[in-house]
Amino acid sequence: MKQIYGQSASGNLRDAASTINNPDALILMTSADNFERHVHELADMYKGVPSIGGIGISYAGTSATEGGVTLIGLYEVAACAGALEELSTMPVKYIKRLTDAISAVGAGAGNSACFDFTTGCDGKLVTTLNTELDKRNIPLIGGTVDGPTISVNGYIYKDACAFLMLRNKTGKIRAYKENIYLPTGQRFVATKTVPENMTLVEVDGHPAARFYQDVLGISDEEVATQTFKNPFGRVYGQETYLISIKEITGTALNCYKQVNDMDILTLMELKDYKQIVKDTLDKMQQDLGRVSGIISVNCLFRYLLFQQEGYLNDYFREMNRYNSHAGLVGVGEHYCKQHINQTMCCIAFD
């Protein structure tokens, strides 16, 4: 399996596609202004090729584009694209589209993955997809786009998920998540929440906003940006999944991930992210032997943090160590059975 990507900072899809000939599958990432036009243009350019598309900041190789377009062409892969509709109400109604895609490509453990773009409802989506993926040991990687629509095979959908089922014909596919934060060691309990609004109301019986501020010694104004350095973490077995804080509402905290009553929480702290990125790439090489490509979703908060720290360009250069890295800046990430925040998740293949 291999990928060829193209990019146009000006938003010219034909320029981005100039080196992508006869692909087996396509991933389109573009701006809101150009999305509908690019979706239809792509379908005309690559008739019959399975494709998914989403809105957002994208990157390829060593550079990102915030208003342009990135196109990934995949080769030596069996692929099938589909949509789960009515995402906010009943996505399971469309689950046969996923099982049909799994059968169509012969997907299974070790050499396959599902890559998705969604317009929201991440928790419900991840649960729905994993009713079929988990029992086949097929990993899910994806994220939330920065807009109300996604595309599948030239069609545009609202309130939906676009998925691309992939089977590497020549080797393995592995899924990874990268967390640049570590727990502080303190543990707390979410004692009152409003899950449907992703609101954390109380922690250990105290108003959540005041609790967060008191532990860190910060003001109201600092809360929204402090999450760059100190997000909450949800402890789940041996894993910790990040929860980004959006804003203070009264004495509660609105978050970017659902929190439930009695969830075990911890505060996270930023670690040596440069070394962690190197370790992730070393792990990929150790697992795969030869890394042919990486398709990733990076959280918007990671993107902004790296930008703020002056590390963003170095990050893309490091991630392009194997000369084939591309992806989307998401506003939520999916890793296997979890909706996560402030994380990089990806598939890597040989």
Side-chain angles (χ1 to χ4, degrees):
M1 182 173 168
K2 65 178 183 179
Q3 66 178 353
I4 297 174
Y5 51 70
Q7 191 176 61
S8 168
S10 66
N12 188 314
L13 180 61
R14 291 192 178 273
D15 284 350
S18 61
T19 59
I20 301 173
N21 301 307
N22 301 313
D24 295 318
L26 293 160
I27 300 173
L28 171 71
M29 296 161 288
T30 188
S31 64
D33 291 345
N34 290 320
F35 183 67
E36 185 171 348
R37 177 172 61 86
H38 281 166
V39 168
H40 297 314
E41 193 175 354
L42 189 72
D44 288 339
M45 292 165 61
Y46 299 96
K47 296 186 185 301
V49 178
S51 69
I52 64 171
I55 295 167
I57 299 168
S58 57
Y59 45 85
T62 59
S63 63
T65 175
E66 298 192 1
V69 58
T70 299
L71 183 66
I72 303 173
L74 298 174
Y75 297 81
E76 299 170 353
V77 62
C80 185
L84 296 190
E85 301 177 64
E86 298 181 49
L87 199 55
S88 58
T89 53
M90 196 175 290
V92 71
K93 178 178 172 182
Y94 300 90
I95 198 66
K96 188 174 185 300
R97 296 178 182 177
L98 178 65
T99 56
D100 287 349
I102 292 170
S103 298
V105 305
N111 65 357
S112 304
C114 182
F115 188 83
D116 85 273
F117 289 148
T118 183
T119 58
C121 302
D122 301 76
K124 184 179 293 184
L125 169 66
V126 169
T127 299
T128 302
L129 290 173
N130 273 290
T131 59
E132 297 300 328
L133 296 175
D134 186 45
K135 62 189 177 187
R136 295 172 172 85
N137 292 316
I138 298 171
L140 171 68
I141 293 294
T144 311
V145 299
D146 191 17
T149 53
I150 49 85
S151 70
V152 177
N153 297 335
Y155 293 93
I156 294 173
Y157 299 86
K158 292 184 177 180
D159 189 26
C161 156
F163 67 82
L164 188 61
M165 185 60 58
L166 303 168
R167 177 177 61 81
N168 186 353
K169 291 182 177 180
T170 59
K172 300 183 286 290
I173 295 180
R174 294 286 184 269
Y176 299 89
K177 72 175 175 70
E178 182 177 85
N179 177 2
I180 57 175
Y181 304 84
L182 288 177
T184 58
Q186 301 167 288
R187 291 198 174 190
F188 318 104
V189 177
T191 45
K192 186 175 181 182
T193 65
V194 185
E196 59 271 24
N197 294 336
M198 294 190 283
T199 301
L200 178 59
V201 181
E202 291 182 357
V203 179
D204 282 356
H206 303 288
R210 182 57 56 197
F211 179 89
Y212 184 72
Q213 291 173 262
D214 287 348
V215 169
L216 294 172
I218 59 173
S219 66
D220 290 0
E221 293 74 22
E222 293 174 287
V223 169
T225 54
Q226 191 68 31
T227 195
F228 285 9
K229 294 184 177 179
N230 297 106
F232 275 113
R234 177 183 176 236
V235 180
Y236 184 78
Q238 298 302 309
E239 295 281 352
T240 303
Y241 297 95
L242 301 179
I243 301 169
S244 298
I245 296 168
K246 183 178 181 180
E247 60 189 358
I248 296 177
T249 302
T251 60
L253 292 173
N254 282 351
C255 302
Y256 285 99
K257 171 177 165 57
Q258 180 176 309
V259 189
N260 301 300
D261 289 354
M262 304 312 293
D263 276 353
I264 304 299
L265 304 178
T266 185
L267 272 178
M268 310 294 286
E269 59 183 358
L270 186 63
K271 292 300 183 182
D272 184 352
Y273 50 81
K274 296 179 183 180
Q275 185 59 51
I276 291 170
V277 171
K278 291 179 188 295
D279 291 345
T280 299
L281 290 165
D282 289 345
K283 174 65 173 168
M284 291 178 191
Q285 188 169 34
Q286 179 183 342
D287 291 346
L288 296 171
R290 178 178 66 92
V291 181
S292 297
I294 303 167
I295 306 171
S296 69
V297 177
N298 262 282
C299 177
L300 176 62
F301 280 10
R302 272 174 58 108
Y303 180 85
L304 294 174
L305 173 68
F306 289 168
Q307 202 170 54
Q308 177 181 292
E309 296 283 310
Y311 174 64
L312 188 62
N313 291 336
D314 288 341
Y315 171 70
F316 288 129
R317 280 193 289 270
E318 186 66 41
M319 283 299 291
N320 205 47
R321 181 192 296 181
Y322 305 113
N323 299 314
S324 192
H325 170 236
L328 180 80
V329 175
V331 291
E333 302 80 57
H334 309 150
Y335 174 76
C336 295
K337 294 187 284 184
Q338 290 288 327
H339 166 218
I340 49 184
N341 295 155
Q342 281 180 245
T343 304
M344 184 278 290
C345 59
C346 69
I347 53 172
F349 43 87
D350 63 2

